[in-house]
Amino acid sequence: MIRLTNIQLVLDHDDQAMTSAVLDRLSITADDLVSIHVHKRGYDARKKTNIMLIYTLDVETTHNESLIEKFAKHQLVKATPDMSYQFVAKAPADLQERPVVIGFGPCGLLAGLVLAQMGYKPIILDRGKEVRERTKDTFGFWRKKILNTESNVQFGEGGAGTFSDGKLYSQVKDPNHYGRKVLTEFVASGAPDEIMFVSKPHIGTFRLVTMVEQIRAKIIELGGEIRFSARVDGVQIDNSQITGVVLADGEVIHSRHIALAIGHSARDTFQMLYDSKVYIEAKPFSVGFRIEHPQSVIDKARFGKNVGNPILGAADYKLVHHCKSGRSVYSFCMCPGGTVVAAASEEHGVVTNGMSQYSRAERNANSAIVVGIDPSDYPGNPLAGIDFQRALERNAYVLGGSNYDAPAQKVGNFLKGTSSETVGSVEPSFQPGVKLTDLSKALPDFCIEAIREAIPVFNRKIKGFALEDALLTGVETRTSAPICIKRGKDFQSINTQGLYPAGEGAGYAGGILSAAIDGIKVAEAMALSINTRHEKS
Ligand code: FAD
């Protein structure tokens, strides 16, 4: 097949327009064309009066090879690459030792699945509960303020992104097309087919839950074992080689190949690893607030008269501002038609995040507006960023009334520096509830100044962004891990052989797709190392 990139067509084009664009690009006639397959579809809404659809197409013609040769120097015409996934190894039939994966979020899901598909029968451990039980606990917290510190938005089957917008795109370089493998597995487990071709796919919370259950069933069918409420509280290291893990109930599981896919909120586990002398560095992350607007304001600002077009759906945005102070403020994890959620995993802390359903039909749009910070803002040992996050979360808990309500303020008041007394036209979606207050006390002064500078600038890009009644809710602290558990080219910890730091918690991913991709890479590295060791024994 021939891959054509950057085919631009107007929003309401018909099939004939696509055919004509293909014939035009390849200078062929209709008789030469066999078929057209849409590989990717995105849109360019920079000019809302002239929104364009941007396609990557795979085209079959009667003479592919000669056309590929003819267009050899054309950047937008290439042979369609083989994007199918090839396993790098196969488990030896007499293999005794089973690899262990700690954490069953996107990274652990894909690491576990790929190891199982290659025949390694992994043991997967997660501190939280299976996803249906976890859903009850999480909704229990949102509705009744009862926090289960082991089963919540951060911990349990499916990981941190289970109650989310389920955005499935990433900017990581992916020359081996691992992202395709992830999406293919997700579709095979119940995700909608369209995630394969829309440029910014999302699946929403409820579909994610079903998908995660199906992947679990597949791993078990392939001989893998998944254990919930199995928190790893210790590691056994002998002469710089990991030899096993110790569970909270004292059980020891022996293995010399252990993936550490624990996400960014496993603070007790980070401390345990640090105390066990696993090499850890501090790394930059971001803190800020969630902002909520009526979705209709965002739709109108982005799509103009095209609001409601089913191809476009609910509008999103991505904003960045570089402040005079040198700080950057940016929007993060934008959830069109969604809700702001309570994402704490520790008692007496308030943390915000966002989620939505597949339909993205809720009244409000939300996103995090965050300021980049780095280790010079929280000097100390490599775990000092965790103390910084925790202090902000506990402070937000107090500002919210010490009952898991979140502190909130209208944008108009925030910009003027006055406290909010009442909610305006934007109803807060945060559960259990919000307490209106003065958010300037919720973050360090340099963050408040930066966000105050950025919001009016964002208003020039998205009309209505600085709406008087738009609502800020705080605090957003879990944007990424505040640490990096360094690994070498072999994907193993630089000072602990056999330990494979992976995914978001180790500092090697940011988001569902990139964490899942990292899970595949780590599974491959583990399999190759297991086979090498097996050959030598
Ligand atoms: P995690 O998903 O955090 O999984 C880690 C797992 O390890 C957890 O299940 C935890 O229980 C387990 N664990 C931790 N410690 C231990 C231990 N000691 N022993 C055993 N198990 C342990 N990203 C997107 O790309 N798109 C989105 O739309 C999106 N929305 C989000 C919405 C919310 C509310 C949240 C919280 C996050 C969202 N994210 C989103 C981010 C995304 O969820 C994470 O980037 C991703 O889940 C990271 O995957 P991971 O597998 O590395 O870690």
Side-chain angles (χ1 to χ4, degrees):
M1 278 201 162
I2 307 174
R3 178 155 293 177
L4 308 183
T5 40
N6 199 23
I7 296 277
Q8 301 199 15
L9 297 172
V10 293
L11 184 56
D12 52 359
H13 73 84
D14 57 16
D15 288 350
Q16 187 50 44
M18 185 179 284
T19 305
S20 300
V22 168
L23 300 182
D24 205 37
R25 170 73 64 85
L26 291 175
S27 305
I28 56 175
T29 67
D31 290 343
D32 301 321
L33 184 63
V34 178
S35 65
I36 301 175
H37 170 81
V38 176
H39 174 68
K40 279 272 171 242
R41 185 192 67 208
Y43 62 79
D44 180 352
R46 279 174 297 178
K47 283 193 196 142
K48 59 176 177 269
T49 50
N50 186 25
I51 295 176
M52 301 297 286
L53 296 180
I54 317 287
Y55 289 95
T56 301
L57 302 174
D58 285 329
V59 174
E60 192 67 57
T61 71
T62 52
H63 51 291
N64 288 355
E65 278 177 24
S66 63
L67 283 169
I68 289 164
E69 210 172 301
K70 177 177 168 191
F71 287 95
K73 292 199 175 135
H74 198 304
Q75 286 309 307
L76 306 178
V77 180
K78 298 277 173 223
T80 298
D82 179 4
M83 298 176 81
S84 60
Y85 181 74
Q86 310 295 330
F87 294 103
V88 297
K90 188 167 176 285
D94 58 342
L95 188 70
Q96 299 297 320
E97 182 189 300
R98 297 170 75 178
V100 169
V101 176
I102 311 173
F104 202 44
C107 182
L109 270 170
L110 264 291
L113 179 64
V114 170
L115 281 167
Q117 287 172 332
M118 291 190 284
Y120 291 90
K121 301 185 170 54
I123 299 172
I124 302 169
L125 307 168
D126 199 288
R127 68 193 296 161
K129 297 185 189 171
E130 59 94 359
V131 71
R132 301 270 164 188
E133 286 299 309
R134 180 186 174 207
T135 304
K136 283 188 213 154
D137 291 335
T138 304
F139 280 71
F141 176 49
W142 294 345
R143 288 177 187 146
K144 297 182 201 148
K145 304 188 180 185
I146 302 165
L147 174 66
N148 181 334
T149 54
E150 294 300 317
S151 177
N152 48 56
V153 171
Q154 309 291 350
F155 296 153
E157 184 179 24
T162 307
F163 308 104
S164 81
D165 182 41
K167 285 178 276 295
L168 295 177
Y169 45 91
S170 149
Q171 300 192 332
V172 290
K173 285 201 186 111
D174 186 21
N176 294 329
H177 312 295
Y178 291 128
R180 196 87 186 151
K181 162 77 172 162
V182 175
L183 297 181
T184 305
E185 292 295 350
F186 283 4
V187 169
S189 303
D193 290 345
E194 68 166 36
I195 69 169
M196 298 303 292
F197 71 87
V198 295
S199 68
K200 287 185 180 177
H202 76 104
I203 51 177
T205 290
F206 287 131
R207 289 186 180 220
L208 264 163
V209 167
T210 311
M211 195 187 85
V212 164
E213 282 180 320
Q214 295 205 16
I215 295 180
R216 184 215 309 162
K218 220 174 266 181
I219 294 173
I220 293 171
E221 202 184 302
L222 291 164
E225 182 184 336
I226 302 169
R227 293 169 63 175
F228 297 110
S229 302
R231 192 182 67 224
V232 171
D233 271 359
V235 283
Q236 296 192 328
I237 300 170
D238 181 16
N239 209 6
S240 302
Q241 164 70 51
I242 195 138
T243 57
V245 293
V246 186
L247 301 187
D249 63 5
E251 186 188 351
V252 177
I253 299 176
H254 295 283
S255 176
R256 295 170 76 88
H257 291 88
I258 298 175
L260 190 65
I262 56 176
H264 58 35
S265 289
R267 293 168 173 172
D268 49 356
T269 316
F270 294 150
Q271 184 69 52
M272 175 275 288
L273 293 164
Y274 183 65
D275 294 343
S276 307
K277 309 271 183 289
V278 172
Y279 185 82
I280 294 177
E281 279 179 3
K283 87 170 214 348
F285 61 104
S286 301
V287 295
F289 301 126
R290 276 274 146 181
I291 192 164
E292 281 189 276
H293 300 91
Q295 180 62 44
S296 55
V297 168
I298 308 299
D299 286 343
K300 189 156 179 257
R302 295 267 354 258
F303 297 154
K305 66 177 173 43
N306 294 302
V307 169
N309 185 301
I311 288 186
L312 299 175
D316 64 1
Y317 56 78
K318 198 165 182 223
L319 300 162
V320 188
H321 173 62
H322 301 290
C323 297
K324 287 182 221 119
S325 63
R327 300 271 174 187
S328 289
V329 180
Y330 61 98
S331 63
F332 174 76
C333 187
M334 199 269 153
C335 298
T339 50
V340 181
V341 297
S345 56
E346 288 183 339
E347 278 176 356
H348 305 143
V350 165
V351 185
T352 55
N353 212 306
M355 73 171 232
S356 63
Q357 299 303 339
Y358 177 66
S359 58
R360 288 179 163 173
E362 297 293 330
R363 204 162 171 262
N364 290 352
N366 74 71
S367 76
I369 298 297
V370 292
V371 184
I373 56 171
D374 66 47
S376 66
D377 294 311
Y378 40 89
N381 75 22
L383 304 190
I386 295 175
D387 298 334
F388 182 88
Q389 286 176 315
R390 187 180 280 134
L392 293 179
E393 292 166 10
R394 290 194 172 165
N395 181 42
Y397 178 79
V398 173
L399 286 172
S402 300
N403 61 1
Y404 292 111
D405 284 348
Q409 188 177 19
K410 287 185 279 192
V411 163
N413 291 122
F414 176 75
L415 294 177
K416 280 183 234 138
T418 53
S419 194
S420 289
E421 307 293 334
T422 52
V423 168
S425 57
V426 180
E427 284 282 331
S429 63
F430 183 91
Q431 283 187 314
V434 299
K435 181 179 175 200
L436 290 167
T437 183
D438 174 5
L439 278 179
S440 67
K441 298 184 186 77
L443 293 175
D445 289 348
F446 68 82
C447 294
I448 298 296
E449 274 163 35
I451 296 173
R452 281 203 178 121
E453 182 181 319
I455 288 176
V457 178
F458 292 161
N459 192 56
R460 294 205 284 272
K461 295 175 185 160
I462 304 274
K463 198 170 166 212
F465 200 87
L467 192 75
E468 191 82 10
D469 283 354
L471 200 70
L472 293 166
T473 310
V475 284
E476 187 95 7
T477 45
R478 313 259 184 116
T479 50
S480 68
I483 58 149
C484 174
I485 308 176
K486 276 270 183 207
R487 68 188 185 197
K489 285 203 176 109
D490 59 1
F491 291 86
Q492 301 180 46
S493 152
I494 58 169
N495 74 344
T496 310
Q497 275 296 110
L499 182 68
Y500 293 77
E504 179 139 10
Y508 291 99
I512 296 170
L513 188 64
S514 63
I517 289 174
D518 203 52
I520 299 178
K521 290 182 187 169
V522 161
E524 291 182 346
M526 289 169 89
L528 292 171
S529 171
I530 291 170
N531 285 14
T532 308
R533 209 175 109 79
H534 184 262
E535 275 161 27
K536 283 187 192 153
S537 65

